Amino acid sequence: MPEYETIIYDVLTPGIVKIIQNRPFARNALDLQMTYDLNSAFDRAAQDDEIKVIILTGSDPHFSAGHDLRGDGGKKLQEDFSVVGTWTGFENDGAHGRFAREREIYLDMTRRWRDLPKPTIAQVSGKCIAGGLMLAWACDIIIASEDAMFQDPVVVMGVCGVEFFMHPWELGPRKAKEFLFTAEWWTAAEGYRLGMVNHVVPREEIEDFTLTLAKKIAEKPLFALKMTKKAVNQTLDTMGQQIAIDSVFGLHQLCHSHNEKIYGIPIDPAGIPQTDKKDKRSN
Ligand code: ZN
């Protein structure tokens, strides 16, 4: 079985696996290692016929702080991991390398997880920020605890939302604009009201609630579950979701190029938290 540095792969009960993001010292921010650890764990769960439902969560207290702007101190390069796409050329200068890198680890990877054939449940407590939203949105069902808070603040970094642009699909167009324009924190209750969150439960009950739901799903035949998930995702794709996300990814890259020209880095430095100023290659 593979070893993971940054996640825990925990088979809770026959048919159900919980994948736990485990970088609590970084509020579970997603670095390269965790991106590829998650991908490996998702593949393992997808390829194991004994697994029918995948729960994704974060080690307490937060689900995800998004992409780790501090990077990993340059210890590992993209080429140190098993690349999933064919674009490559990550170390090229300018837009070339950045496009390749962001496409691999943000756009293509998130789509890959969104298209996992088995039902996935995001169990969200605490903060879920920017790239963390991409993770939750890639899942089929979102269960949030009452203390969960959601935010995409990248407009203050000079960028038009995170790379996997699901906001209008998750929130509706008007609320998506407000969410992005203001960069404010929204509650689990608001996420529920808008249809982004399936259920809001007390924090002390979220483990049991999510497992009970997962068990109900796991009782169903696997092929029918796979086909049902595909039917819904295929409907969204027919509505243009995939093409819309791809096209907005181009705007996102234009924002990075603009910031690079103006500030010498791909994001507006005014939006970088003080603690995150060591590595500013991407967001
Ligand atoms: Zn970006």
Side-chain angles (χ1 to χ4, degrees), residues 3-4 8 19 74 77 110 150 155 169 178 200 206 259 263 269 273:
E3 297 286 327
Y4 304 110
I8 298 167
I19 297 173
L77 301 174
T110 308
F150 302 88
V155 70
W169 301 88
E178 182 186 345
V200 182
I206 193 168
N259 292 326
Y263 305 111

Side-chain angles (χ1 to χ4, degrees), residues 102 106 163 252-253 256 283:
E102 295 219 336
Y106 301 148
E163 290 82 1
H252 180 99
Q253 296 306 315
H256 280 323
N283 182 61

Side-chain angles (χ1 to χ4, degrees), residues 81-276:
F81 299 94
S82 298
V83 171
V84 300
T86 53
W87 195 275
T88 67
F90 306 115
E91 299 308 316
N92 280 299
D93 289 335
H96 188 171
R98 184 171 55 248
F99 184 94
R101 184 172 185 275
E102 295 219 336
R103 183 177 169 134
E104 162 79 12
I105 62 174
Y106 301 148
L107 182 67
D108 290 351
M109 202 72 91
T110 308
R111 174 162 296 136
R112 199 163 185 280
W113 301 340
R114 179 264 198 185
D115 288 337
L116 287 172
K118 297 177 180 177
T120 52
I121 304 173
Q123 178 186 306
V124 181
S125 292
K127 304 280 175 59
C128 178
I129 309 171
L133 290 167
M134 290 166 45
L135 278 177
W137 289 341
C139 294
D140 301 313
I141 289 172
I142 300 177
I143 308 300
S145 59
E146 289 168 342
D147 69 330
M149 297 289 287
F150 302 88
Q151 183 196 36
D152 185 351
V154 303
V155 70
V156 298
M157 300 177 189
V159 182
C160 58
V162 288
E163 290 82 1
F164 200 71
F165 196 78
M166 288 275 277
H167 312 62
W169 301 88
E170 294 288 343
L171 305 171
R174 293 191 189 284
K175 295 304 282 188
K177 287 172 185 169
E178 182 186 345
F179 185 63
L180 288 161
F181 289 165
T182 64
E184 287 184 338
W185 288 103
W186 284 11
T187 61
E190 181 70 347
Y192 175 77
R193 193 180 70 79
L194 295 170
M196 183 186 89
V197 169
N198 292 73
H199 297 278
V200 182
V201 297
R203 182 159 188 148
E204 60 273 19
E205 296 174 17
I206 193 168
E207 295 277 343
D208 287 346
F209 186 95
T210 305
L211 183 57
T212 299
L213 179 67
K215 284 179 176 173
K216 278 184 200 168
I217 297 170
E219 290 168 359
K220 311 298 186 295
L222 182 57
F223 184 61
L225 288 172
K226 286 180 171 180
M227 284 294 123
T228 302
K229 173 166 182 168
K230 185 159 181 57
V232 177
N233 282 0
Q234 198 164 297
T235 300
L236 289 166
D237 290 342
T238 304
M239 292 163 71
Q241 189 184 79
Q242 183 165 333
I243 293 168
I245 291 171
D246 283 350
S247 68
V248 175
F249 183 71
L251 301 181
H252 180 99
Q253 296 306 315
L254 181 62
C255 291
H256 280 323
S257 293
H258 171 78
N259 292 326
E260 187 93 48
K261 183 90 173 167
I262 302 291
Y263 305 111
I265 55 173
I267 53 181
D268 184 336
I272 305 174
Q274 287 298 316
T275 53
D276 288 346

